[in-house]
Amino acid sequence: MAAEVTGGDLFRLWRVSDVLLPRVADVFYDANRLLGGSAGGGDSFRVNGPAYPGSIVMSSTIGSAWEDLRAEMQAMVEHVGTTVLDSAQGVRTATQAYLDVDEANANLLRDHMADPRNLIPGDVASNPPLPGSDDDPGRPQ
């Protein structure tokens, strides 16, 4: 599978982790803020308001139920947004792990090729063509 990963694949992973998933999380965080802002801006479902118009009872069971439901929904959408951002971090971590292994392998190959003990000077097929030799492609005219 490693041979199938290209720069385009890594770009798509970056795009998912740093562009797309944060935007998805923002939708859930916006919903969280919207729910948080609905904590009493109107006259409906007030916790400390009359139970019904003209009532002397200052506690509304509907208001209390709404507050409980609102708090639960707010926690739910915040949790989903955070999970989406955690997923983005997971994609980032996986991408970085691939890049780290790829760089380590490139360094191993570079070190192997730079070590003169790994070259066999007399083996023409294992070495680059010598300038001016029959195998040297030279320069185009």
Side-chain angles (χ1 to χ4, degrees):
M1 167 142 173
E4 298 172 11
V5 176
T6 66
D9 297 323
L10 295 174
F11 172 75
R12 282 188 284 282
L13 287 174
W14 170 84
R15 190 165 182 266
V16 165
S17 67
D18 288 273
V19 177
L20 302 176
L21 287 177
R23 288 192 171 123
V24 171
D26 183 56
V27 170
F28 288 97
Y29 285 156
D30 285 347
N32 173 280
R33 288 185 285 273
L34 182 66
L35 285 166
S38 66
D43 291 333
S44 301
F45 307 134
R46 294 178 60 194
V47 176
N48 294 321
Y52 53 88
S55 171
I56 58 170
V57 177
M58 293 301 287
S59 150
S60 168
T61 55
I62 294 174
S64 297
W66 164 245
E67 287 299 313
D68 292 343
L69 177 61
R70 182 186 64 80
E72 186 66 29
M73 289 189 310
Q74 198 173 3
M76 177 186 65
V77 294
E78 183 273 333
H79 180 73
V80 172
T82 300
T83 300
V84 170
L85 288 181
D86 289 346
S87 300
Q89 183 58 47
V91 172
R92 243 181 257 113
T93 300
T95 304
Q96 189 59 51
Y98 177 84
L99 292 171
D100 292 345
V101 168
D102 189 53
E103 183 178 2
N105 288 337
N107 288 337
L108 285 173
L109 179 60
R110 193 177 302 110
D111 293 345
H112 178 80
M113 293 177 70
D115 187 347
R117 294 173 298 170
N118 296 323
L119 299 176
I120 305 170
D123 185 4
V124 176
S126 296
N127 292 289
L130 294 172
S133 70
D134 290 338
D135 295 330
D136 182 20
R139 299 229 174 238
Q141 298 285 336

